[in-house]
Amino acid sequence: MDKVGVWLIGARGSVATTATAGAAAIKAGLAPPQGCVTETPHFPATLVPLAGLVFGGHDITETPLRKRAEQLGRAGVVPPHLPDLIAADLDAADAEIRPGHVPGDRDQAAAAARLSDDIAAFRSRHRLARVVVVNVSSTEPPAAERPEFARLADLEERLAAGADVLPPSSLYAYAAFQAGCGYVEFTPSTGPTLPALAELAALRRVPYAGRDGKTGETLVKSALAPMFASRALRVRSWSGLNLLGGGDGATLADPAARSSKQLSKDQVVAGVFDEPVEGQTHIDFVADLGEWKTAWDHVTFEGFLGVRMALQFTWQGCDSALAAPLVLDLARLVARAHERGRHGPLPELGYFFKNPLGGGEHALAAQYDRLRAFAEELS
Amino acid sequence: MDKVGVWLIGARGSVATTATAGAAAIKAGLAPPQGCVTETPHFPATLVPLAGLVFGGHDITETPLRKRAEQLGRAGVVPPHLPDLIAADLDAADAEIRPGHVPGDRDQAAAAARLSDDIAAFRSRHRLARVVVVNVSSTEPPAAERPEFARLADLEERLAAGADVLPPSSLYAYAAFQAGCGYVEFTPSTGPTLPALAELAALRRVPYAGRDGKTGETLVKSALAPMFASRALRVRSWSGLNLLGGGDGATLADPAARSSKQLSKDQVVAGVFDEPVEGQTHIDFVADLGEWKTAWDHVTFEGFLGVRMALQFTWQGCDSALAAPLVLDLARLVARAHERGRHGPLPELGYFFKNPLGGGEHALAAQYDRLRAFAEELS
Amino acid sequence: MDKVGVWLIGARGSVATTATAGAAAIKAGLAPPQGCVTETPHFPATLVPLAGLVFGGHDITETPLRKRAEQLGRAGVVPPHLPDLIAADLDAADAEIRPGHVPGDRDQAAAAARLSDDIAAFRSRHRLARVVVVNVSSTEPPAAERPEFARLADLEERLAAGADVLPPSSLYAYAAFQAGCGYVEFTPSTGPTLPALAELAALRRVPYAGRDGKTGETLVKSALAPMFASRALRVRSWSGLNLLGGGDGATLADPAARSSKQLSKDQVVAGVFDEPVEGQTHIDFVADLGEWKTAWDHVTFEGFLGVRMALQFTWQGCDSALAAPLVLDLARLVARAHERGRHGPLPELGYFFKNPLGGGEHALAAQYDRLRAFAEELS
Amino acid sequence: MDKVGVWLIGARGSVATTATAGAAAIKAGLAPPQGCVTETPHFPATLVPLAGLVFGGHDITETPLRKRAEQLGRAGVVPPHLPDLIAADLDAADAEIRPGHVPGDRDQAAAAARLSDDIAAFRSRHRLARVVVVNVSSTEPPAAERPEFARLADLEERLAAGADVLPPSSLYAYAAFQAGCGYVEFTPSTGPTLPALAELAALRRVPYAGRDGKTGETLVKSALAPMFASRALRVRSWSGLNLLGGGDGATLADPAARSSKQLSKDQVVAGVFDEPVEGQTHIDFVADLGEWKTAWDHVTFEGFLGVRMALQFTWQGCDSALAAPLVLDLARLVARAHERGRHGPLPELGYFFKNPLGGGEHALAAQYDRLRAFAEELS
């Protein structure tokens, strides 16, 4: 069977390391595919098997993947003895990691060409049918609008003139599309959402999906909000506090980056209810939580004859462990969609995202039904 | 348009009083139909309007409905000034309440005939197209098996011999079916679930639905459990503590009655997951909570590479306010199903119940889709 | 026995109205003195009785107290039928409310003289032994430093020159001191904390206490933090989200006012632990909560051999109902301290405050022991 | 300086293993004494140093201590690499563990003599000034009353006649007292609480303390209950659910053993409030929690003018990590009390227990003050 490449932007980060280590562990029979949606019996067996995934990527840090896996072992994200058992796979993936683009290093046109070549070389080196590029690097601040984002010709003219106009995530999406690869924006960053890049994806006939993996508090929100809606219980306020440790938490300590995330998180409630709902979602960096996160949500709602009631929940999860299997699911699904000739945004993958590109609804069960129908259709 | 009767067993209880008062308030434009599922735009307008419902019922207590409504006003279940504004409707409904059957008063055969006559007289007095009997009385202990429950002929032979063999809820279901009425078992009691009564429902061509209205903790469970299942997150334990005040709480202070409720509550988790899940659901009576209830649930689950995570939720609701609008929904839907010639159990109404009669799944969103399709089909 | 005046700044606000209504209800035997610390058997009976308190105050709104009490009755803060039963007391207190100072209306020197005269006139009108002024108005933003705050002579020179330099709460404290009255700063505002005002209090030999009544989340913090400290469990992070409805919530929607409150709230954790503790306390205005507030706190701590553990709590309280009895306690205690010749800050009253003036510790039980000793000493 | 022996009943259990490993780690400078109350600067430095403790004990299982420590390392109770670093200490302690008494093996008189000899031999072998016996074995069901428990002479007559009348924990307490050692009942079992054993302790002039280490939910209760009491807030209900994994949880799956624990847990609320408080505390065994436990408590209370409010908390702790340092504290304190000539129950140690022997109050801060005064007095 054809092999599929998974090219990770942020390939040495926690999510990427967990995904790479996990695929190796499952392949070796050391762990069941817990958390992989596409491994359940509700999905066709025709997707590329997990053992058929080959890993590589870009990163600006140089800590070897094996060492990162050991750190995650100490933090309880992967079993402590796992890194030793899959050392060969980790080293093989590590050998496929190329330096990420450091802003200012060279101009973005040159950078894009180099990044694109890295991906294409990986594909031919391993004789891969397809490569899916997945961005699991740190969250960026929202990007300012620019006129050249509207049309591909204008964008390329600016790049050719030596201008650095693209946010980093969009530079990677550009490089991925130029290499003829599908792309998944797993962060809330801009990535492929510029009209000029949509034009490029159409031109290259490559699919993409995003944005911002739905792994914790927002996942629960998207399961609970439709419950209120279907029962005609009017939600009056929905407030939340997210306490994040780890790398992502540190990034989000920056208010600009945090605002990307908060905007993304607020989509679900706004998307499910007709009437406006009061309340904010706060994000705090709490270093002591390490790779873990805790979120508390408080919901007030109005029932029959105006009676007020409340629901609270606390979610305690390990972000990387929640995200990593979805990265594998998405790589498999986007690769298959690419193979079947789909291009442009894939709204059918909205189940995986806080802010589904290409539209579609936010209710989790409806998203799941759509995902299953899509997988069926592709097989 | 044809009017529909709602005949409530436990007609002076909190749920019944709230339903009666609420229908009057909505009819008078004093409150929006918050909490009524069938009043949302997702349901066809062809069901009997709320203003077309006429209320009556059986109860063994004699406190007038207006006084009960005032008590609920002080407890915050209905707006304090509402009972005055709808006094005429409450009095009208009160005039339609007949004495419930007190065990030992007369034999069950005679009691059934009298109860059945009460319902039939209500129907003709108000020229109602149909009457739906809804049991919202206190929870009974589980009934012991008896050989005569298996066949209608055997059951009627025993009754004719003067034996008192039916649990109270089943006596009411028997009377309802004999009167040619649909029946809703809103409690976890035995009600229509005896094979002999299923036979009678088929014979009289009447529909029925149940069992145990899904109004709080179990509602949330049925929204959250499918989230874990679809994400391939393996739930390892699901524990809960329900603190109930009010009449229902006092009934459930009796361990036998409590066991009916607990059995009913445990269906959802068992129904959604393939593998067994550890944990128990406790029910405590806490008089101080009055008409309110608080439930805490704690869920542990296993994700990618065996990482353990947890979710907790606390639900603070007013049972009567959650149940009452569903009573109105069910009366409308069962009346329409009856009109359309449906008889026997209505599994399409599983959305409303902890333990759906006639089978079907426990995932809330799937139940809702089925309900909408059913409503569409009936219109 | 001598009567004592309670002069409330913000006399028509929720806290003041609840305190006034509550004192009347207790006097009339309509309610037990639940929530009044000085009414428990642990306190000497020599304080002025609740029936010996006479109410008046300043406010810039004109809604009559009886109407405000009815609003609080509908909101569930006071029993709905109470306002009718104590209408005479509410009207009497209402007749003692004088217009508050509206900035810009006249200069602060003239305003202070008028405010001070209002209080003195109240005292002579009712032949009160003493009056205690209690600020329960809205939270102000932190005040900027000014050179004239350092010495009374400089301050009075500036005021005499027609300058408006004092924050509103400090203007009231100035007027109270000038009238020879004790003062309680129940909000986080600046109030009597300027050195110039401390000088004035010493000159007039009047006592004062504050700052920021400890009524909810912070109360719980001050009970729990010493538990960790005494057990040698090292608290690593303490995060919180406060959801406030009502008037106080709306004031705190303003980031400047909110910052006063947050600074005040962060004192406890910093005051109890030797080592720095990570984490923030957020305050959100959620109009839907009305007079209620909900706070969630999340604490991580380290135990034996570095094991990490966690505690969460959710507090659901009615701010005015928690604050009002403390206002009565403070008025009684400050009046007695004044009578006994105490002047300047009263650190012995730290039990009541988030940020005790005059120093002292934050551990609740130690504060309570000190309070009891103080009350004993005064009797 | 004199060395002190710590003789653990259940010496290979989780608590004992953690205490033994922890003392070794602290001695070796591998961990700070986090969680050890007597190591804080508030305690005199004259107690035996942790490095002066020598470990031994009884157990009926034979798994070597080093292996048990490795299991705890995998479970996250002790750092995974610690057991290797302190292997010599673990092996030394393991060599001092003698077989526990297996009921039926021989009669209790002979068993007591053998157990007592084991302890005495340990004392002389290591030239220990004193040995403190600490019971950290599994919880027993409550013991039935027996006439011979009332007087030592009667008890010894029955034992001499070959009868097996003592619950296991009391047999160990008997043996400890016979060997002239102090005793700590860290479980809710009967232990030294029989009048006949009190007589023996007086005769041998040995001190003892207990009962049931206060390590989690009850600790929090004893910090929070006095807060409500001092604020005159009337607690109306206090309900709780404890989810326990691990060995203790499994023992408590037995309803008889669970009842010992529940009785013990209910002391605090009853001990702090004057008026009865509604509510129950449930204990569930949830194997999936491993060495961890989660408790949820829900408290309703009444404030000013009858307003109802609520507090909830969730405690997530590691039982062994919470208990182990207290075992070290207790051994040090009881040894010093013994040295100073104290005998009989030590109510001054009530801070450590759910159900303090010798009486005393349940409020945590008051218990802590008493403990500090006691330590001061002993030094």
Side-chain angles (χ1 to χ4, degrees):
Chain A
M1 179 175 280
D2 287 349
K3 294 200 155 198
V4 163
V6 185
W7 188 265
L8 299 160
I9 311 305
R12 291 186 169 109
S14 295
V15 174
T17 307
T18 307
T20 307
I26 295 166
K27 189 178 74 176
L30 297 167
Q34 212 76 54
C36 285
V37 173
T38 52
E39 281 289 303
T40 61
H42 305 295
F43 282 79
T46 55
L47 295 169
V48 58
L50 291 177
L53 299 177
V54 180
F55 292 85
H58 284 118
D59 206 315
I60 54 176
T61 67
E62 297 188 358
T63 319
L65 216 45
R66 211 203 287 194
K67 196 162 175 190
R68 286 291 290 120
E70 285 161 4
Q71 290 167 354
L72 294 174
R74 282 192 292 279
V77 181
V78 306
H81 300 302
L82 179 65
D84 277 358
L85 302 174
I86 55 163
D89 285 280
L90 291 171
D91 292 348
D94 199 64
E96 297 296 341
I97 301 177
R98 297 291 172 269
H101 172 59
V102 177
D105 223 34
R106 64 177 89 179
D107 68 36
Q108 287 195 329
R114 198 267 294 168
L115 297 170
S116 195
D117 288 350
D118 288 345
I119 302 169
F122 169 68
R123 182 173 50 202
S124 31
R125 201 156 53 243
H126 293 277
R127 296 193 182 80
L128 302 169
R130 255 157 303 276
V131 172
V132 179
V133 176
V134 185
N135 183 17
V136 285
S137 64
S138 299
T139 296
E140 299 164 8
E145 291 285 318
R146 282 171 171 278
E148 59 268 31
F149 289 170
R151 288 185 42 226
L152 182 60
D154 295 347
L155 174 64
E156 298 204 316
E157 189 179 336
R158 290 285 293 143
L159 292 175
D164 282 8
V165 295
L166 288 170
S169 57
S170 300
L171 181 68
Y172 285 106
Y174 179 82
F177 293 165
Q178 288 292 17
C181 297
Y183 181 93
V184 175
E185 185 53 62
F186 205 80
T187 81
S189 303
T190 311
T193 63
L194 306 174
L197 295 184
E199 206 182 321
L200 178 59
L203 199 70
R204 299 285 176 179
R205 305 189 65 80
V206 289
Y208 60 90
R211 172 159 82 148
D212 204 2
K214 185 159 77 173
T215 57
E217 184 210 22
T218 313
L219 175 66
V220 181
K221 272 183 175 171
S222 70
L224 287 176
M227 173 190 82
F228 293 109
S230 82
R231 280 284 165 112
L233 299 167
R234 187 171 166 200
V235 171
R236 301 298 301 249
S237 74
W238 197 307
S239 307
L241 175 55
N242 286 266
L243 307 175
L244 310 183
D248 204 30
T251 304
L252 296 171
D254 168 31
R258 192 161 59 220
S259 72
S260 297
K261 193 87 181 178
Q262 279 165 333
L263 285 173
S264 194
K265 278 177 161 292
D266 291 343
Q267 308 273 342
V268 171
V269 168
V272 170
F273 300 112
D274 297 330
E275 299 185 72
V277 171
E278 242 192 313
Q280 298 170 56
T281 303
H282 299 268
I283 302 178
D284 270 10
F285 173 49
V286 177
D288 188 56
L289 291 178
E291 295 286 333
W292 294 75
K293 86 173 183 194
T294 294
W296 176 71
D297 273 40
H298 181 266
V299 186
T300 59
F301 59 97
E302 190 182 321
F304 202 52
L305 301 176
V307 167
R308 295 303 166 90
M309 300 177 266
L311 173 73
Q312 302 168 45
F313 69 83
T314 304
W315 170 266
Q316 295 171 302
C318 174
D319 235 25
S320 301
L322 288 159
L326 305 185
V327 166
L328 305 181
D329 286 324
L330 283 161
R332 300 169 91 186
L333 289 160
V334 172
R336 167 57 49 99
H338 193 182
E339 184 188 346
R340 286 286 179 266
R342 280 293 300 266
H343 56 87
L346 300 173
E348 296 93 339
L349 301 184
Y351 172 76
F352 294 102
F353 299 108
K354 295 194 188 77
N355 184 6
L357 297 181
E361 63 177 320
H362 285 88
L364 187 71
Q367 290 176 326
Y368 182 62
D369 290 345
R370 191 176 188 188
L371 175 68
R372 285 177 59 182
F374 179 61
E376 207 55 57
E377 191 187 306
L378 293 179
S379 80
Chain B
M1 178 175 280
D2 287 349
K3 294 200 156 198
V4 163
V6 185
W7 188 266
L8 299 160
I9 312 304
R12 291 186 169 108
S14 295
V15 174
T17 306
T18 308
T20 307
I26 296 167
K27 190 177 72 175
L30 298 168
Q34 214 74 55
C36 285
V37 172
T38 51
E39 280 288 303
T40 61
H42 305 295
F43 282 79
T46 54
L47 294 170
V48 57
L50 290 177
L53 298 178
V54 180
F55 292 85
H58 283 118
D59 205 315
I60 53 176
T61 66
E62 297 189 358
T63 319
L65 216 46
R66 211 203 285 195
K67 195 163 175 191
R68 287 291 290 121
E70 285 161 5
Q71 290 167 356
L72 294 173
R74 281 190 293 277
V77 181
V78 306
H81 301 302
L82 180 64
D84 277 357
L85 303 174
I86 55 163
D89 285 280
L90 291 172
D91 292 348
D94 199 64
E96 296 296 341
I97 300 179
R98 296 293 173 269
H101 172 59
V102 177
D105 225 33
R106 63 177 91 180
D107 68 35
Q108 288 195 326
R114 199 267 294 169
L115 298 170
S116 196
D117 287 351
D118 287 346
I119 304 170
F122 169 69
R123 182 172 50 201
S124 29
R125 198 156 55 244
H126 293 277
R127 294 196 184 79
L128 302 168
R130 254 157 303 276
V131 172
V132 179
V133 176
V134 185
N135 183 17
V136 286
S137 65
S138 300
T139 296
E140 300 163 5
E145 291 285 320
R146 281 171 171 275
E148 60 268 31
F149 289 168
R151 289 183 43 224
L152 181 61
D154 296 346
L155 174 64
E156 300 205 313
E157 189 180 337
R158 291 285 292 145
L159 292 176
D164 280 9
V165 295
L166 288 171
S169 58
S170 299
L171 180 67
Y172 284 105
Y174 179 81
F177 292 166
Q178 287 292 18
C181 297
Y183 181 94
V184 175
E185 185 52 64
F186 205 80
T187 81
S189 302
T190 310
T193 62
L194 306 175
L197 296 184
E199 206 181 322
L200 178 59
L203 199 69
R204 300 282 176 180
R205 306 190 63 81
V206 288
Y208 60 91
R211 177 161 73 151
D212 204 2
K214 185 158 76 172
T215 57
E217 184 210 23
T218 313
L219 174 67
V220 181
K221 273 184 174 171
S222 70
L224 287 176
M227 173 191 82
F228 293 109
S230 83
R231 280 285 165 113
L233 298 167
R234 186 172 167 199
V235 171
R236 302 298 300 250
S237 73
W238 198 307
S239 307
L241 175 56
N242 286 266
L243 308 175
L244 310 183
D248 204 29
T251 304
L252 295 171
D254 167 32
R258 193 162 60 221
S259 72
S260 296
K261 194 86 180 179
Q262 280 166 333
L263 284 172
S264 194
K265 277 177 160 292
D266 291 342
Q267 308 273 342
V268 171
V269 168
V272 170
F273 301 112
D274 297 331
E275 299 187 72
V277 172
E278 242 192 313
Q280 299 170 55
T281 304
H282 299 269
I283 302 178
D284 271 9
F285 173 50
V286 177
D288 188 55
L289 291 177
E291 295 287 332
W292 295 75
K293 85 174 185 194
T294 294
W296 176 70
D297 273 39
H298 181 267
V299 186
T300 59
F301 59 97
E302 191 182 320
F304 203 51
L305 302 175
V307 168
R308 296 303 167 91
M309 299 176 267
L311 172 73
Q312 302 168 44
F313 69 83
T314 304
W315 170 266
Q316 295 171 301
C318 174
D319 235 26
S320 301
L322 289 159
L326 306 185
V327 166
L328 305 180
D329 287 324
L330 283 162
R332 300 169 91 183
L333 289 161
V334 172
R336 170 54 52 97
H338 192 183
E339 186 187 346
R340 285 288 180 266
R342 280 291 302 264
H343 57 86
L346 299 173
E348 295 92 340
L349 301 183
Y351 172 75
F352 295 101
F353 299 107
K354 295 195 189 77
N355 183 7
L357 297 182
E361 63 178 320
H362 286 87
L364 187 70
Q367 291 176 327
Y368 182 62
D369 290 346
R370 191 176 186 188
L371 175 68
R372 284 176 60 181
F374 178 62
E376 208 55 58
E377 191 188 305
L378 292 179
S379 80
Chain C
M1 177 175 282
D2 287 348
K3 294 201 156 197
V4 164
V6 185
W7 188 266
L8 300 159
I9 311 305
R12 292 186 168 108
S14 296
V15 174
T17 306
T18 307
T20 307
I26 295 167
K27 190 178 72 173
L30 298 168
Q34 212 75 55
C36 284
V37 172
T38 53
E39 281 288 305
T40 62
H42 305 294
F43 283 80
T46 55
L47 295 170
V48 58
L50 290 177
L53 299 177
V54 181
F55 293 84
H58 283 118
D59 205 313
I60 53 175
T61 66
E62 298 188 357
T63 319
L65 217 44
R66 208 201 289 193
K67 196 163 173 189
R68 285 292 288 120
E70 286 162 4
Q71 289 167 356
L72 294 174
R74 281 191 293 280
V77 180
V78 307
H81 301 301
L82 180 63
D84 277 357
L85 302 174
I86 55 164
D89 285 279
L90 291 172
D91 292 347
D94 199 65
E96 297 295 341
I97 301 178
R98 297 292 172 269
H101 172 60
V102 177
D105 224 32
R106 59 177 93 180
D107 68 35
Q108 287 194 328
R114 199 266 295 168
L115 297 170
S116 196
D117 288 350
D118 287 344
I119 302 171
F122 169 69
R123 182 172 50 202
S124 32
R125 198 155 55 241
H126 293 276
R127 297 193 181 80
L128 302 170
R130 254 157 304 276
V131 171
V132 179
V133 176
V134 185
N135 183 17
V136 286
S137 64
S138 299
T139 297
E140 300 165 7
E145 291 287 318
R146 282 170 169 278
E148 58 268 30
F149 289 169
R151 289 183 43 225
L152 181 59
D154 296 347
L155 175 65
E156 298 204 316
E157 190 179 334
R158 291 284 291 143
L159 292 175
D164 281 8
V165 295
L166 289 170
S169 57
S170 300
L171 181 69
Y172 285 104
Y174 179 81
F177 293 165
Q178 287 291 18
C181 297
Y183 181 92
V184 175
E185 185 53 63
F186 205 80
T187 82
S189 303
T190 309
T193 64
L194 305 174
L197 295 184
E199 207 182 321
L200 178 59
L203 200 69
R204 301 282 177 179
R205 306 190 65 80
V206 289
Y208 60 89
R211 179 158 73 148
D212 203 3
K214 184 159 75 172
T215 57
E217 184 209 22
T218 313
L219 175 67
V220 182
K221 272 183 174 171
S222 71
L224 287 177
M227 173 189 82
F228 292 109
S230 83
R231 281 284 165 111
L233 298 167
R234 188 172 168 201
V235 171
R236 302 297 303 250
S237 73
W238 198 307
S239 307
L241 176 55
N242 285 265
L243 307 176
L244 310 182
D248 205 30
T251 304
L252 297 171
D254 167 31
R258 193 162 58 219
S259 72
S260 297
K261 193 87 183 179
Q262 279 166 334
L263 284 172
S264 195
K265 278 177 161 291
D266 291 342
Q267 308 271 344
V268 172
V269 168
V272 170
F273 301 112
D274 298 330
E275 298 185 73
V277 171
E278 238 191 316
Q280 299 170 56
T281 303
H282 299 268
I283 302 178
D284 270 10
F285 172 48
V286 177
D288 187 57
L289 291 178
E291 295 287 333
W292 294 75
K293 86 174 184 195
T294 294
W296 176 72
D297 272 40
H298 182 265
V299 186
T300 59
F301 60 99
E302 189 181 320
F304 202 52
L305 302 176
V307 167
R308 296 304 167 89
M309 298 176 268
L311 172 72
Q312 301 168 46
F313 70 82
T314 304
W315 170 267
Q316 295 171 302
C318 174
D319 235 24
S320 301
L322 289 159
L326 305 184
V327 166
L328 305 180
D329 287 324
L330 283 161
R332 301 170 89 184
L333 290 161
V334 172
R336 169 56 49 98
H338 193 183
E339 184 188 346
R340 287 283 180 269
R342 280 290 302 265
H343 57 85
L346 299 173
E348 296 92 340
L349 301 183
Y351 171 75
F352 294 102
F353 298 108
K354 294 194 189 77
N355 183 8
L357 296 182
E361 61 178 320
H362 285 87
L364 186 71
Q367 290 176 326
Y368 182 62
D369 290 345
R370 191 175 187 188
L371 174 68
R372 285 177 58 181
F374 178 62
E376 208 56 57
E377 192 187 305
L378 293 180
S379 81
Chain D
M1 176 172 281
D2 287 347
K3 294 202 155 196
V4 163
V6 185
W7 188 265
L8 300 160
I9 312 304
R12 292 187 168 107
S14 295
V15 174
T17 306
T18 307
T20 308
I26 296 166
K27 190 177 71 174
L30 298 168
Q34 212 75 56
C36 285
V37 172
T38 53
E39 280 289 303
T40 61
H42 306 294
F43 282 80
T46 54
L47 295 170
V48 58
L50 290 177
L53 299 177
V54 181
F55 293 85
H58 284 119
D59 206 314
I60 53 175
T61 66
E62 298 189 357
T63 319
L65 216 44
R66 208 201 288 194
K67 196 162 174 192
R68 285 293 289 121
E70 286 161 4
Q71 290 166 356
L72 293 173
R74 280 190 294 277
V77 180
V78 306
H81 300 301
L82 180 64
D84 276 357
L85 302 174
I86 55 164
D89 284 281
L90 291 172
D91 293 348
D94 199 66
E96 297 295 342
I97 300 177
R98 297 292 172 270
H101 172 59
V102 177
D105 225 33
R106 61 178 94 180
D107 69 36
Q108 287 195 326
R114 197 267 295 170
L115 298 170
S116 195
D117 288 351
D118 287 345
I119 303 169
F122 169 69
R123 182 171 52 200
S124 31
R125 200 156 54 241
H126 293 278
R127 294 193 184 79
L128 302 169
R130 254 158 304 277
V131 172
V132 179
V133 176
V134 185
N135 182 17
V136 287
S137 64
S138 299
T139 296
E140 300 164 6
E145 292 286 320
R146 281 170 172 276
E148 58 268 31
F149 289 169
R151 289 182 44 223
L152 182 60
D154 295 346
L155 175 64
E156 298 203 316
E157 189 179 335
R158 291 285 291 145
L159 292 175
D164 281 10
V165 297
L166 289 170
S169 58
S170 300
L171 181 68
Y172 284 105
Y174 179 82
F177 292 166
Q178 286 293 16
C181 296
Y183 182 93
V184 176
E185 185 54 62
F186 205 80
T187 80
S189 302
T190 310
T193 63
L194 306 174
L197 295 184
E199 206 182 320
L200 179 59
L203 198 70
R204 301 282 177 180
R205 305 190 65 78
V206 289
Y208 60 91
R211 180 160 71 149
D212 205 2
K214 185 158 75 172
T215 56
E217 184 209 23
T218 313
L219 175 66
V220 181
K221 273 184 173 170
S222 69
L224 287 177
M227 173 190 83
F228 292 109
S230 83
R231 281 283 165 112
L233 298 167
R234 185 170 168 202
V235 171
R236 301 297 302 249
S237 73
W238 198 307
S239 308
L241 175 56
N242 285 265
L243 308 176
L244 310 183
D248 206 28
T251 304
L252 295 171
D254 167 31
R258 191 161 61 219
S259 73
S260 297
K261 194 87 182 179
Q262 280 166 333
L263 285 173
S264 196
K265 278 177 160 290
D266 290 343
Q267 309 272 342
V268 172
V269 168
V272 170
F273 300 111
D274 298 330
E275 299 187 72
V277 172
E278 239 191 315
Q280 300 170 55
T281 304
H282 299 269
I283 303 178
D284 271 8
F285 172 50
V286 177
D288 188 55
L289 291 176
E291 295 286 333
W292 295 75
K293 85 173 185 195
T294 294
W296 176 71
D297 272 39
H298 182 266
V299 186
T300 59
F301 59 99
E302 190 182 320
F304 203 51
L305 301 177
V307 167
R308 296 303 166 89
M309 298 176 268
L311 172 72
Q312 302 167 45
F313 70 82
T314 304
W315 170 266
Q316 295 170 301
C318 174
D319 234 26
S320 301
L322 289 159
L326 306 185
V327 166
L328 305 180
D329 287 324
L330 283 162
R332 300 169 90 184
L333 290 161
V334 172
R336 169 53 52 98
H338 193 183
E339 186 187 347
R340 286 285 180 266
R342 279 292 300 267
H343 56 86
L346 299 173
E348 296 93 340
L349 301 183
Y351 172 75
F352 294 102
F353 299 108
K354 295 195 189 78
N355 183 8
L357 297 182
E361 61 177 321
H362 285 89
L364 187 72
Q367 290 175 327
Y368 182 62
D369 290 346
R370 191 176 188 188
L371 175 68
R372 285 177 59 181
F374 179 61
E376 208 55 58
E377 192 188 304
L378 293 180
S379 82

